[in-house]
Amino acid sequence: MTALQHLAAGTRYLVQLAEPDDFEAWRERARALVQADVPPDRIAWVEPGGSGDLFASAGGAGQQRLPAPPADAPPVRANRRFVQLARNALLHRDPERFALLYRLLWRLQATPRIMEDGADPDIRRVEELAKSVRRDSHKMHAFVRFRLVENEDGNEAHGAGEHYVAWFEPEHHILRANAGFFMRRFANMRWSILTPAGSLHWDGAVMHEGPPAQRGDAPTGDPIEDLWRGYYASIFNPARLKVGAMLKEMPRRYWKNMPEAALIPELIAGAQRREAAMVDAGALDFAERPESLAGIAKAIHACRQCPIGALDNHAVMGEGPRDAVLMIVGEQPGDQEDFAGRPFVGPAGQLLDRHLERAGIDRSGAYVTNAVKHFKYVQRGKSRLHQNPGAKEIDTCRWWLEGERAVVRPRLVLAMGASAARALLGKTVSISKARGAPLALEDGSELWITAHPSYLLRLEGEARAAQAALFDADLASVKARLAELCA
Ligand code: URA
């Protein structure tokens, strides 16, 4: 629509944000407009960066300064579901997204339960946008491939000066929103991600944003590609091969940036033979990760991605409300959990329950789960002795925890023990250093880290009392933070 068409249609206010992905700026503006009682059909939301002449041609001929909300305006209602969806939907490339979200926010004021109406066209559209953005982020996490940059003399810059550069073409405005993910995953590398919409540069300590780039700005091909190819060939699971699903998951347009894609035809060719061998060996079929808790629960039973799943045990799924604000993550089910099929029912769980109760945290309101879904043990006579999962096993099982997080979308995650912390952060941290203050996770939730209750169970006397006091203090902080988040 041109400015004149907007004016003819009764539009009074043209609103343009500075950035296409700035949810907080949109929220602030939208709240003020709701409080100033400006209905959606009076506002034209203009795509940032574009339509400069829309303003020029509007030239004051009816475009008005945005009204200030009255001092006694009631607070704006926006429930958690709306904010969660809106945060993602706003990153979509659809120029109508700002108007759509504003209309929904406006309608929420009169009908607070509207978000529960799955048939409402506005809600369905926002859900579609949010899903497409989540999918784009998932693709970015999976398909960004760094290549080592060469010096001017044509040699690779090894050592402290090593610099890795990746080229990626996101569909939506997801670059900034995913900066934290890459920062944590490649914290010790110096890297840049170049895209047609902007670039990110991490020097190991500070993140910088840069201008849009072109494909030719990124290097093509280096010896790292052999590693990627080797890695991909080793993790390629022929029993999972479904060509249609693979193309959906890894569309051809990403292949050109992915060294391992060259292997795909060869791997497909050998897949049937290898699948037969795996079925004989008892491995199970996988599909892409389910998007429901029930689906994940079913899938983890079939999971044989690490050796723990092949022991004589049962997968234990997390439990709790699907929309829990708090997610509690332990290490792995123990002997009793394995039998009961529920997390934290044995001695560590009973101790946890006592501490939670003391802190005033209602366990039944939390989603309780584990970093690793199967019980790892060694058989000693009739006993099954607990064994810590290894880093590789935790990193593999993280796939399922991420699936649970994507469904539950907790605002606060409490990781108990080093395995849980690793599963959330992708790296090992020291509990004594990490506890006591929140860390930001890539989906906007907060991570709090504390000790595992079974660590307390192994201590005695004063040492146990001291650790129990620290554990209580951590839970008290979590309780206080939950109260703030839910206020
Ligand atoms: N320890 C854990 O980490 N999880 C359980 O479910 C039980 C004990």
Side-chain angles (χ1 to χ4, degrees), residues 31 62 66 68 81 83 187 200 213 271 273 293 335 360 377 379 398 416 419:
R31 278 186 168 159
L66 297 186
R81 171 102 182 114
V83 175
L200 292 176
R273 187 171 27 83
L293 293 177
D335 189 55
Y377 63 90
Q379 193 78 42
R398 199 172 171 210
M416 300 189 305
S419 300

Side-chain angles (χ1 to χ4, degrees), residues 316 330-334 337 342-346 348-349 369-370 416 452 454:
V316 176
E331 182 196 65
Q332 61 168 348
E337 286 79 15
R342 295 184 49 213
F344 281 106
V345 293
T369 189
N370 282 302
M416 300 189 305
H452 194 285
S454 54

